[in-house]
Amino acid sequence: MGHEGGRHAVVVGGSLAGLLAAHVLAGHADRVTVVERDRFPDGTGPRPGVPQGRHPHVLLEGGQVAMESLLPGFLAELRAAGAPRVGMPSDLVLWQNGRWFRRLPATTHIYTGSRAQLEELVRRRVLANPVISTVQGSEVVGLLGDASRVRGVVLRDRSGEARGEQRSLEADLVVDASGSGTKAPQWLQAVGAGVPHEETIDTGLAYASRVYRGRNGVLGGDTAGYYVYPSPDQVHAGGALPLEDGSHLVIVSGLRGDEPPTDDDEFVTYAKRLPHPLLHRWLDEAEPLSPAFGFRRTANVRRRYDLPGSCPAGFLATGDALCTFNPIYGQGMAVAAMSAVALRDALADPRRTPTTRRVQQAVLAASRQAWDISAGADRKMPGAVGNAVAGGPADRAADWYLQRVQECAPGDPVVGRAFRSVLTLSAPVTTLFAPPVARAVLFQPPATTPAEPPATPETPGA
């Protein structure tokens, strides 16, 4: 998109993905309009359109790099606002596949503050740009255009005197950032365009979250939080992660048919399903600060707008509207930021004309590693359903090696560093096959790990 002729872009959804896409588009359009079906909260309250807003969110290292690239100085703002910066594995008690992780010096950090706080900081930065305006309290109910080109959106007011009225908003580009509940496939079908192929993997995982404050302030002094990852042999997961106000957001999860309850006492009891009583003991003594909230829509869904014939010109999808991951892996915010970087780079590439399909391919590619991690783990879980559960021959060939990586990571510093760098989307999957990692994985037995949850970090050289 060029600057001439009053170019207008519409972004559907004021999500993190939508705000960051609008920020990028403001460098290529004369006007960018963000259409948000709800109203943005004053301050840092949960936004109604974020179904997971009351649940744990982490900003992985790959997302931090992307956010800083898009909004220079953002991480300093996040720290100044009090968002906890947690070192892994030093600051957390972690359990996976039957083993406790050694609390070695941190090789990566995550931010664990509330989604609402992070989103408010992004919103303040992005909406300060005079090129960007918002239409709040209105929902998109359709597209303008035809099978060859999208030319805008149809809006319906959701409040006030104009409630229910529809109006058209013309645009040169429409970006769908409306989240996992997107109606874009139906909108495209209504204008005669193709519907994207959807790949799905659904374990039926459900979780519940509740805010607590420990009686002694923190979890065991030198420990910022706990986390037990699910695996095919241990399908219950859970943990406690620190928030910006000194409290902890506790999550417990289970699979289809054994969903965690939101009843106060039963929530605590459910934590007994974890492989160690650590979290349950802490909950027994901690003070609850909120009700428990449940969440059950955790399927991995990837919409293949990048394939030939799947999408008219003038339409892009990003964020959860393009690729939704099981939230238990904490990838969504990072991928939203990485997708915006991919959008920026594709639009600015001097070597290639940024056609809709070429840009869409670039945005989808930004989510590929997260998809491979989330889908790869979930397709092994008992009871997983969906048309992408089987995977391909390459997936099956890699399973043995990756299983060995997971066995070695808790106790081996070299394998652990590589494993975390891939999981936090800060290094490519090929990092796991580097010679020092491969030697440890293929030729050495897994290093010894703690028999009980390690109460303190290891001292280097001790």
Side-chain angles (χ1 to χ4, degrees):
M1 292 193 306
H3 284 279
E4 68 280 0
R7 304 283 276 174
H8 181 213
V10 166
V11 177
V12 184
S15 62
L16 193 63
L19 290 168
L20 294 175
H23 172 73
V24 169
L25 293 172
H28 298 269
D30 297 280
R31 292 186 299 131
V32 179
T33 305
V34 177
V35 179
E36 169 56 39
R37 70 187 298 275
D38 300 301
R39 296 202 169 273
F40 291 126
D42 293 327
T44 59
R47 188 166 55 85
V50 185
Q52 296 146 233
R54 298 182 187 275
H55 301 281
H57 281 76
V58 298
L59 184 61
L60 304 177
E61 188 174 328
Q64 295 168 35
V65 171
M67 291 288 280
E68 192 68 14
S69 172
L70 293 162
L71 304 171
F74 180 78
L75 296 181
E77 288 183 26
L78 197 57
R79 286 194 294 274
R85 183 173 180 263
V86 177
M88 294 176 66
S90 58
D91 297 342
L92 296 176
V93 171
L94 298 170
W95 187 98
Q96 187 172 31
N97 289 327
R99 311 187 81 200
W100 296 104
F101 277 69
R102 291 174 60 191
R103 291 179 63 180
L104 296 161
T107 61
T108 189
H109 291 79
I110 58 174
Y111 284 92
T112 64
S114 66
R115 165 70 177 258
Q117 180 194 60
L118 185 140
E119 208 170 83
E120 196 270 336
L121 290 172
V122 171
R123 193 162 56 238
R124 190 191 310 163
R125 284 281 295 270
V126 169
L127 298 185
N129 189 331
V131 172
I132 301 172
S133 61
T134 65
V135 176
Q136 300 179 45
S138 292
E139 61 185 330
V140 173
V141 294
L143 297 172
L144 302 173
D146 51 36
S148 63
R149 183 166 198 93
V150 168
R151 302 183 185 280
V153 295
V154 180
L155 301 180
R156 181 170 62 205
D157 286 313
R158 300 184 72 237
S159 60
E161 295 178 4
R163 184 181 179 89
E165 291 183 11
Q166 293 190 7
R167 60 192 174 95
S168 297
L169 182 62
E170 294 184 355
D172 301 284
L173 176 69
V174 173
V175 177
D176 179 22
S178 60
S180 57
T182 177
K183 299 291 192 297
Q186 295 95 303
W187 303 338
L188 290 165
Q189 190 172 33
V191 297
V195 174
H197 171 65
E198 291 189 0
E199 300 167 324
T200 62
I201 301 174
D202 186 4
T203 65
L205 181 137
Y207 54 87
S209 305
R210 194 177 187 193
V211 180
Y212 283 84
R213 190 180 299 279
R215 297 292 184 194
N216 299 319
V218 292
L219 296 117
D222 287 335
T223 303
Y226 309 139
Y227 209 82
V228 170
Y229 292 94
S231 66
D233 299 323
Q234 161 55 44
V235 298
H236 295 98
L241 294 173
L243 293 173
E244 57 269 18
D245 64 356
S247 64
H248 281 75
L249 190 48
V250 175
I251 181 172
V252 288
S253 71
L255 299 186
R256 190 181 294 108
D258 188 21
E259 296 88 351
T262 54
D263 173 88
D264 293 356
D265 293 335
E266 292 178 14
F267 179 90
V268 175
T269 302
Y270 193 89
K272 288 183 176 179
R273 289 169 166 78
L274 299 181
H276 192 279
L278 186 74
L279 183 64
H280 180 258
R281 284 181 196 151
W282 185 79
L283 288 176
D284 247 356
E285 297 178 358
E287 174 192 4
L289 301 182
S290 80
F293 294 91
F295 190 76
R296 297 191 177 189
R297 285 207 330 263
T298 60
N300 303 278
V301 181
R302 182 161 62 173
R303 298 175 180 87
R304 299 303 302 273
Y305 288 111
D306 59 308
L307 299 176
S310 293
C311 198
F315 178 90
L316 294 171
T318 191
D320 281 1
L322 176 64
C323 196
T324 307
F325 313 97
N326 185 338
I328 207 79
Y329 303 110
Q331 301 166 316
M333 296 198 304
V335 171
M338 294 165 72
S339 298
V341 169
L343 175 65
R344 180 194 67 189
D345 293 349
L347 290 175
D349 188 345
R351 299 163 300 168
R352 296 179 172 179
T353 303
T355 63
T356 299
R357 185 169 170 229
R358 191 168 283 157
V359 174
Q360 186 67 85
Q361 287 173 329
V363 173
L364 185 71
S367 66
R368 186 164 295 137
Q369 182 165 319
W371 173 268
D372 289 344
I373 291 168
S374 184
D378 276 5
R379 65 167 53 99
K380 300 186 191 79
M381 296 296 284
V385 297
N387 62 8
V389 166
D395 297 311
R396 292 188 288 274
D399 277 353
W400 178 85
Y401 185 85
L402 295 177
Q403 182 64 35
R404 283 281 298 174
V405 169
Q406 289 189 16
E407 290 170 5
C408 295
D412 187 299
V414 173
V415 179
R417 174 189 286 270
F419 184 59
R420 283 184 291 279
S421 71
V422 171
L423 289 185
T424 59
L425 309 178
S426 55
V429 175
T430 51
T431 304
L432 299 177
F433 300 92
V437 180
R439 275 197 298 274
V441 169
L442 295 174
F443 303 119
Q444 297 171 14
T448 303
T449 54
E452 289 293 318
T456 55
E458 292 187 22
T459 304

